[in-house]
Structures are given as structure tokens and as C-alpha cells.
């Protein structure tokens, strides 16, 4: 029974990994419909918790979800196995592309394609930033933190990790202690 | 060498909240500081992995790790990038189930989220410079991509394929024009 469920879970996460184009938010809908509604492996409430945890913890949402579901259903070993499954196919494809890339890097075709993709990536990053801005700016304090951390990054050249930790500390002071 | 690749990706994986696009500037800063990759190579990595399936963190780490130290490098980088999130999720779901509801934890993340926006802005500006965004064609491509993803919900893979096609079309067009010019000046 457990082995049956485990193999089903592994197959599902292999598939989810292979189909996860466009980052976390793009596959959120697919994960939800399959995990919650089609297979009933976790409840809708659990799924909302995974999303909240994924947003507040390091790591890609797909990886977090696979670890969480594996652990919830079958314990820590299954959690590691499901995580390996969701990473496996993207890893193999990216590795194949990396190996091939060194050979085709200097081809004119590749250069032209990359000259189009590079500016597009700027647009993709801007869109991702707006998506996070949508849920980040709730009051004047958050705008203040944004301005200050932008200054520290651009002007003071402070390390991104230090900026994150300082902003988090500012959040504790502002939201938990003062307000 | 493999250990330091693992350590760098682990450190970045542990401290960056907000997904792949927030991780990029941190990774870029760290890898260029240690002279493991150039800004150019980082941008190539980011450009390429956008069109591949899988979390940006996983595909990006694979590509960057491979460029640094071949297949072992790719394995070390992916392991380093993914391990923090496995550890954190296992810890949360087994020990600190209530921690995420704690007022201080929520306050920390409420403060960290605007900083994630700053990080992404920093990343976008840095990459825009390298992508020669001041050229009208490039700026138009960036704007079109932004609109397609943000307002129309076009999947990333399709946007990337379209941008690659635009780059190839513009490249061939430019070559044709140069050929014409060359013929004109020869006469």
C-alpha cells in the first residue's frame, strides 16, 4: 500500500518537474488541481499552508511542495525521494543543455537567439518583481524598507544577504515590537 | 573546489527568499566575487534556463555549476541550492509546525518582502545594462516581454521562444542590410 502510494507520488513529481515551465507561480495551479482535487493527497488548507511556507522560506515552491507532501503522507524518507523526483528531469535537461551549450555557444544562430532572449529576460524579471510587489507593499513602513534597502544595494553595495536580514530585523521591530 | 561550489550555493539557497529572481543577484555577486564566473556567463545562464522546465534555482545552479567545474560541479551546485529548502521544510513540518504563525516570524517576513523587491530591481538593472537595453529594439523586446507575462499571462517558454525568434530575425535582417550596403558602396 505504502509502496504503491510512493511510486504514484514519485511518478507525479517526475511529471510535475518535467512540465514546470515558467517558475513557481506558473505550476502552482497544476500542483493544486492534481494534489488536492484529483488525488486528494493533501487538503486545500494544507496546500495553502505549503504556499505560505514556500513564500516565507528559502527555496523554490515546487521543491518545497514536494518535500512537504512526501513528508505529510509517508515520512522523511519519502520526502527526500519526492524531492529528488521533482528535481531529476529539470536537472538532466539543464545538464544536457549546458554540455551542448559549450559547443554551440559560438554559432551565429545561438548568438542571435541569445541577443533576443537577453532583453526579454529583463522583462521577465521586472514582471516577477511586480508580482512580489503586489503582496509586499501594505503600508508606509514597507515602502520605507523598500527605499532603504534599494539605497543600501545600489549606493552602499551592501551584500544582498545582509540587506535581507536587516530588512527582516526592521520588520520585527516595526511590526512586532512598535506597532 | 567542489566543496566551495557547494558552500556558495548552499549559503545563497539558505538566505534567499522570493524564488529564483531574488536568488540571481546574490548568486551573481557571490560567483563573480570569487572569480568563478563572469557577469556575462551569469547572464547567459539566466537567459538560457528561462526556457527550460524546472525551478529556476535548479536549472540555474546546474548550468552555473557545470560552467565552473563540469558534471561534478553541476551536482555540487544543485545539491547546495536544494538542500536548504529540504532541511527547512522538514524542520518546519516536523518540529516547528506553529512557528510560521508566530508574530515575530510573520513580522520578519513582512519586513523582508519589500527587500526582495529591491533585490529584483537590482538584478533587473544589472542585467539590463549587460543586455544593452539602451538600444530601441532591445528596450521594445523587454517591454513586450513584460506586458506579455504580466498582463496577458503568456507562458514563459513561449515568450522565450518568441524572443529567440525575434533575435534571429533581427540578426538575419541586419546581415541582409549589410550585404545591400556593401553592394551599394562597391558600385
Amino acid at each position: 500500500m505504502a509502496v504503491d502510494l510512493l511510486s504514484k507520488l514519485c511518478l507525479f513529481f517526475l511529471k510535475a518537474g518535467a512540465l514546470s515551465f515558467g517558475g513557481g507561480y506558473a505550476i502552482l495551479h497544476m500542483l493544486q488541481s492534481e494534489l488536492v482535487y484529483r488525488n486528494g493527497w493533501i487538503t486545500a488548507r494544507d496546500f495553502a499552508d505549503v504556499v505560505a511556507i514556500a513564500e516565507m522560506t528559502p527555496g523554490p515552491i515546487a521543491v518545497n511542495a514536494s518535500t512537504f507532501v512526501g513528508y505529510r503522507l509517508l515520512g522523511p524518507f519519502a520526502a527526500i525521494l519526492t524531492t529528488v523526483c521533482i528535481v531529476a528531469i529539470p536537472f538532466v535537461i539543464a545538464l544536457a543543455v549546458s554540455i551542448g551549450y559549450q559547443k554551440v555557444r559560438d554559432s551565429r544562430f545561438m548568438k542571435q537567439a541569445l541577443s533576443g532572449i537577453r532583453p526579454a529576460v529583463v522583462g521577465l524579471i521586472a514582471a516577477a518583481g511586480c508580482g512580489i510587489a503586489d503582496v509586499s507593499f501594505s503600508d508606509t513602513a514597507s515602502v520605507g524598507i523598500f527605499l532603504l534597502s534599494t539605497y543600501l544595494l545600489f549606493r552602499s553595495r551592501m551584500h544582498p544577504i545582509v540587506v535581507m536580514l536587516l530588512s527582516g530585523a526592521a520588520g520585527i521591530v516595526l511590526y512586532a515590537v512598535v506597532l | 573546489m567542489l566543496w566551495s561550489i557547494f558552500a556558495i550555493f548552499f549559503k545563497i539557497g539558505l538566505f534567499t527568499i522570493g524564488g529564483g529572481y531574488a536568488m540571481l543577484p546574490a548568486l551573481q555577486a557571490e560567483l563573480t566575487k570569487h572569480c568563478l564566473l563572469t557577469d556575462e556567463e551569469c547572464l547567459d545562464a539566466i537567459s538560457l534556463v528561462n526556457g527550460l522546465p524546472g525551478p529556476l534555482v535548479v536549472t540555474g545552479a546546474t548550468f552555473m555549476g557545470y560552467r565552473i567545474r563540469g558534471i561534478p560541479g553541476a551536482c555540487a551546485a544543485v545539491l547546495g541550492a536544494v538542500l536548504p529548502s529540504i532541511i527547512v521544510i522538514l524542520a518546519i513540518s516536523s518540529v516547528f509546525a506553529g512557528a510560521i504563525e508566530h508574530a515575530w516570524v510573520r513580522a520578519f517576513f513582512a519586513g523582508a518582502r519589500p527587500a526582495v523587491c529591491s533585490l529584483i530591481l537590482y538584478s533587473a538593472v544589472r542585467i539590463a545594462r549587460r543586455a544593452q537595453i539602451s538600444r530601441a529594439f532591445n528596450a521594445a523586446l523587454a517591454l513586450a516581454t513584460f506586458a506579455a507575462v504580466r498582463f496577458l499571462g503568456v507562458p514563459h517558454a513561449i515568450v522565450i521562444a518568441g524572443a529567440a525568434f525575434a533575435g534571429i530575425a533581427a540578426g538575419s535582417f541586419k546581415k541582409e542590410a549589410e550585404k545591400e550596403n556593401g553592394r551599394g558602396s562597391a558600385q
Side-chain angles (χ1 to χ4, degrees):
Chain A
M1 181 59 198
V3 175
D4 189 43
L5 180 58
L6 186 60
S7 59
K8 270 189 195 152
L9 277 177
C10 286
L11 267 179
F12 169 73
F13 282 112
L14 277 173
K15 189 183 84 177
L19 294 178
S20 61
F21 284 96
Y25 290 102
I27 73 158
L28 216 55
H29 180 73
M30 189 259 261
L31 285 178
Q32 187 182 31
S33 60
E34 292 273 331
L35 289 173
V36 178
Y37 298 112
R38 216 169 132 216
N39 294 300
W41 282 329
I42 58 172
T43 65
R45 168 74 219 242
D46 274 347
F47 188 78
D49 282 353
V50 181
V51 177
I53 291 169
E55 272 177 3
M56 295 194 204
T57 53
I61 187 162
V63 173
N64 290 347
S66 63
T67 312
F68 184 87
V69 171
Y71 181 85
R72 179 56 67 92
L73 291 176
L74 292 166
F77 291 107
I80 290 166
L81 210 58
T82 49
T83 312
V84 169
C85 282
I86 202 159
V87 170
I89 291 179
F91 174 71
V92 170
I93 292 177
L95 194 59
V97 168
S98 310
I99 293 168
Y101 178 72
Q102 291 205 314
K103 289 185 188 122
V104 297
R105 179 170 44 149
D106 298 322
S107 81
R108 194 166 50 83
F109 197 65
M110 191 69 182
K111 274 185 182 149
Q112 288 173 349
L114 275 175
S115 77
I117 295 175
R118 278 177 187 159
V121 167
V122 179
L124 285 184
I125 295 177
C130 288
I132 294 177
D134 290 342
V135 295
S136 298
F137 298 113
S138 45
D139 50 15
T140 41
S142 53
V143 177
I145 291 176
F146 169 75
L147 292 176
L148 197 63
S149 55
T150 305
Y151 178 83
L152 290 175
L153 275 173
F154 279 85
R155 288 279 156 217
S156 308
R157 306 257 158 210
M158 195 178 267
H159 196 285
I161 290 174
V162 180
V163 175
M164 289 287 300
L165 291 176
L166 280 179
S167 305
I172 292 178
V173 172
L174 287 170
Y175 296 115
V177 179
V178 178
L179 301 176
Chain B
M1 181 65 173
L2 280 180
W3 172 248
S4 64
I5 295 174
F6 173 82
I8 287 174
F9 281 88
F10 187 89
K11 188 171 96 178
I12 302 292
L14 185 60
F15 285 108
T16 12
I17 301 145
Y21 288 111
M23 238 176 129
L24 296 176
L27 263 180
Q28 202 171 355
E30 200 70 13
L31 291 172
T32 49
K33 194 180 91 189
H34 293 278
C35 296
L36 291 171
L37 287 178
T38 63
D39 269 337
E40 231 82 57
E41 287 174 310
C42 289
L43 177 52
D44 277 355
I46 300 158
S47 305
L48 221 67
V49 299
N50 256 296
L52 302 178
L56 211 58
V57 176
V58 173
T59 44
T62 306
F63 186 86
M64 289 170 165
Y66 181 83
R67 293 303 297 270
I68 300 169
R69 187 67 204 281
I71 292 172
C75 295
V78 167
L79 210 60
V82 172
L83 216 51
S85 75
I86 297 179
I87 294 171
V88 169
I89 294 293
L90 282 183
I92 286 177
S93 35
S94 59
V95 188
F96 309 106
I100 215 76
E101 299 292 334
H102 193 280
W104 280 44
V105 177
R106 301 200 85 89
F108 178 88
F109 287 111
R113 268 194 298 264
V116 172
C117 296
S118 306
L119 273 181
I120 293 176
L121 181 68
Y122 183 65
S123 165
V125 168
R126 200 166 164 174
I127 287 166
R129 259 186 232 139
R130 294 276 160 189
Q132 298 176 299
I133 209 73
S134 50
R135 290 187 186 172
F137 177 75
N138 291 347
L141 254 182
L143 274 177
T145 306
F146 176 78
V149 173
R150 169 101 174 135
F151 301 116
L152 305 175
V154 181
H156 282 207
I158 291 174
V159 169
I160 289 295
F165 183 76
I168 291 166
S172 326
F173 182 75
K174 212 166 77 188
K175 207 168 146 257
E176 284 297 313
E178 274 164 13
K179 232 191 267 170
E180 286 293 318
N181 283 340
R183 225 178 278 150
S185 56
Q187 277 171 355

